[in-house]
Amino acid sequence: MRSDIVKKGSTRTAHRSLFYAMGYTPEDLKKPLIGVVNSFNEIIPGHFHLRDIADAVKLGVSAGGGTPVEFPSIGICDGIAMGHDGMKYPLPSRELIADSIEAVATGHGFDGLVLIPNCDKIVPGMLMAAARLNIPSIVVSGGPMLSGRYKGADISVSTMFEAAGLYEAGKITADELDCMEKSACPGCGSCAGLFTANTMNCLTEALGMGLPGNGTIPAAHFGARRMLAKAAGETIVHLVERDLKPRDIMTKKAFANAITVDMGIGGSSNTVLHLPAIAYEAGIELPLELFDTISGKTPYITKLSPGGTNHMQDLNEAGGISAVMKELEKLGLIHTDVTTVTGELSERLKHAVIERSDVIKSVEQPYRRTGGIAILKGNLAPDGAVVKESAVAEDMLVLKGPARVFDSEDKAIEAIVGKTIKDGDVVIIRYEGPQGGPGMREMLNPTAIITGMGLKVALLTDGRFSGATRGACIGHIAPEAMAGGPIGLIRDGDIIAIDIPGRMLNVELSDNELAERKAAWVKPAPKVTTGYLARYAKLVTSAKIGAVLK
């Protein structure tokens, strides 16, 4: 066993003494040591209940014949960090999570890992660690939050971001806003729609690194989630016995499956950052073009919030991700000959069935014939840009408009709330990319306020968008402004041409004009010069390759 390096032989007598100091027995040390990585904290609703999940995992590990050893991971709530300088940290925290797990797992010689995340960057951060370490690992999340209810309708945290715009536009009162915000998030779990956290927990299933139900069983279904956690604890011991490692599971075919599911369910645009980053740790390249190729042939068969009215509990009732994959398999879009933590995928899908056809459509009658995410290119985004096409209204898929340029998210919000943005404008928020932000802030505040105010505008950024974003919102524009990309050369009034079906994003300027502006461009001073973000800005790469550190 790998853990023998910390517990076996006469030279490890001091090590054993330290284990005995914590109450471990000699019998415990004869078993596989299983690290239980718990991202519990009291600042993220999705993580607030993870002590219970970890306890269930540890029971499962013990029942399976292993010795569970719990240690923590950090986590940041994107919702609470949204709209201020705190949002510079969630994406960079992905690297901290992966690094810290690597350090603890390697430093203590664990035989395997059970990874317990639930929210946005924590899920990919833990999967990156699993791929990097390549020791037997399994992921079990805390599950999605139930949707809230207000005046007979389902609502969630995304409703509240948009409610700010409704209030600013005078469409709801302060009392109504207060009632809504107390109803939107009824309890623990990752926010109720198909936002980044729930998308990544679903794609963990599609990758084969989680058990069926990992992404969809609600957190409030306490018994079902504890059973899932116990099963994950038992499963990791079997994975250790078989020495089945993450890179045996997360193959190129498995990543193709995950992208296919992502397109089929209309997942968060942030997956175009996270899947390449996880693949990078596994030694696999996922170019942007692959996302667009798969999107072009994958029907969009679920329509969940923010693109629709259904929520995660509806997808769970409908058969979950296994049912989605079984349906997409009809068109030969799913590789069923890949390995998962429970065996071959074909076996997992054998008994999958769609239980609610109003939630999961057939591939013959999908919501759309192509997938949820589109990759755009053009003279404004030579290296690509990302849009959640499934959440864009039909009359906003193709448009032209004058640029309204802002060098930070904060300045853009001031203009939007100040009612200086008009229908037809193309709002550009730049110097918010991986280097320029630094940290590539999510732009849910401005997009939600725009939606709530009823404005018909597009929003472009070298930053990124929350999975809760809807509308003509195009992010990840590369190269970013801080790297001298064309988005840094745009001026107020320049005409921006957007053609999402045609996959084009252009500014109506000649090559000569762009070259002259580039020659005159002066790189601005960095926004952050000390601490972790300053180091991050120097090491981070383009959004095109997942904003990984090199």
Side-chain angles (χ1 to χ4, degrees), residues 189-467:
S190 46
C191 297
L194 190 61
F195 314 142
T196 305
N198 289 326
T199 301
M200 287 307 303
N201 279 324
C202 288
L203 298 192
T204 297
E205 284 188 53
L207 275 172
M209 288 294 293
L211 298 174
N214 178 73
T216 59
I217 298 173
H221 292 189
F222 187 68
R225 290 251 46 127
R226 282 183 64 86
M227 284 192 284
L228 192 76
K230 286 179 185 177
E234 289 195 64
T235 300
I236 188 60
V237 181
H238 301 319
L239 295 175
V240 169
E241 290 169 350
R242 295 168 57 197
D243 199 28
L244 185 65
K245 298 183 287 290
R247 294 187 194 179
D248 300 325
I249 296 170
M250 291 192 283
T251 62
K252 190 70 175 279
K253 285 184 176 180
F255 279 105
N257 283 347
I259 296 171
T260 300
V261 170
D262 192 18
M263 300 307 163
I265 63 177
S268 167
S269 59
N270 283 316
T271 57
V272 184
L273 285 173
H274 298 322
L275 288 176
I278 298 163
Y280 172 78
E281 297 290 353
I284 295 169
E285 183 180 354
L286 293 184
L288 277 180
E289 292 75 15
L290 180 61
F291 286 81
D292 207 48
T293 298
I294 291 176
S295 181
K297 60 185 179 182
T298 304
Y300 173 44
I301 61 173
T302 77
K303 199 169 188 178
L304 306 181
S305 173
T309 56
N310 289 321
H311 289 81
M312 296 307 296
Q313 67 258 34
D314 298 299
L315 180 57
N316 189 60
E317 288 177 9
I321 294 303
S322 292
V324 169
M325 296 182 81
K326 182 72 172 287
E327 186 63 23
L328 294 173
E329 183 195 1
K330 289 181 180 178
L331 298 180
L333 298 173
I334 297 294
H335 300 283
T336 59
D337 58 342
V338 296
T339 300
T340 76
V341 290
T342 56
E344 191 166 275
L345 179 61
S346 58
E347 288 298 311
R348 178 180 291 195
L349 300 186
K350 188 174 290 184
H351 302 294
V353 62
I354 295 175
E355 301 286 359
R356 284 182 56 185
S357 59
D358 62 316
V359 178
I360 304 174
K361 298 293 187 182
S362 69
V363 292
E364 292 83 15
Q365 293 182 308
Y367 287 105
R368 293 179 44 208
R369 295 289 173 188
T370 56
I373 293 174
I375 307 300
L376 313 183
K377 288 194 173 183
N379 68 353
L380 184 50
D383 289 345
V386 180
V387 62
K388 189 171 180 177
E389 186 177 8
S390 58
V392 181
E394 289 294 323
D395 61 351
M396 296 291 284
L397 289 170
V398 179
L399 57 93
K400 286 186 181 181
R404 294 293 309 280
V405 182
F406 302 93
D407 286 348
S408 72
E409 177 189 9
D410 312 273
K411 292 177 181 177
I413 291 174
E414 286 178 18
I416 295 163
V417 174
K419 300 179 174 60
T420 64
I421 302 298
K422 308 299 181 187
D423 283 353
D425 286 345
V426 177
V427 178
I428 292 181
I429 303 177
R430 64 190 183 190
Y431 295 104
E432 290 286 6
Q435 296 175 37
M440 208 176 183
R441 287 198 285 183
E442 286 187 343
M443 304 292 166
L444 181 55
N445 258 25
T447 61
I449 294 170
I450 285 168
T451 300
M453 293 177 72
L455 289 170
K456 293 190 70 172
V457 302
L459 196 154
L460 278 57
T461 182
D462 53 4
R464 60 195 176 90
F465 293 110
S466 164

